[in-house]
Amino acid sequence: MSSTRRARLRTTHDDPEVVRAAVAPDNTDSMHTSVEGNTLVATIERDSTGGLQSTVDDYVVNVTVAQTVIDATRTHTDTNHE
């Protein structure tokens, strides 16, 4: 008997739609993302605990990198317009 493992991750951002768009190309069929206010919500479902852990780890890294690039771009853009 196999059951699906599920994780729901909630992260807050100044512009969650931009973060969502940045990570969307790496999303798999086992992932669903939505935006609720300033929160990016990801639901990940996998058949195994190991698969779930791996996908969650990848997603967290992708969101972290996306937010870092967005922050750096905004800082660079703000600095160049002063």
Side-chain angles (χ1 to χ4, degrees), residues 14-36:
D14 290 337
D15 196 342
E17 286 289 354
V18 173
V19 178
R20 179 183 183 190
V23 301
D26 291 321
N27 288 354
T28 66
D29 291 340
S30 65
M31 305 169 74
H32 176 270
T33 58
S34 62
V35 173
E36 299 173 4

Side-chain angles (χ1 to χ4, degrees), residues 8 10-12 16-17 34-41:
R8 179 164 289 172
R10 301 173 60 84
T11 55
T12 57
E17 286 289 354
S34 62
V35 173
E36 299 173 4
N38 67 340
T39 303
L40 178 60
V41 180

Side-chain angles (χ1 to χ4, degrees), residues 25-66:
D26 291 321
N27 288 354
T28 66
D29 291 340
S30 65
M31 305 169 74
H32 176 270
T33 58
S34 62
V35 173
E36 299 173 4
N38 67 340
T39 303
L40 178 60
V41 180
T43 303
I44 302 169
E45 294 183 348
R46 294 294 302 270
D47 291 334
S48 69
T49 302
L52 179 63
Q53 180 180 359
S54 177
T55 304
V56 167
D57 287 347
D58 289 346
Y59 176 80
V60 170
V61 168
N62 291 344
V63 168
T64 302
V65 169

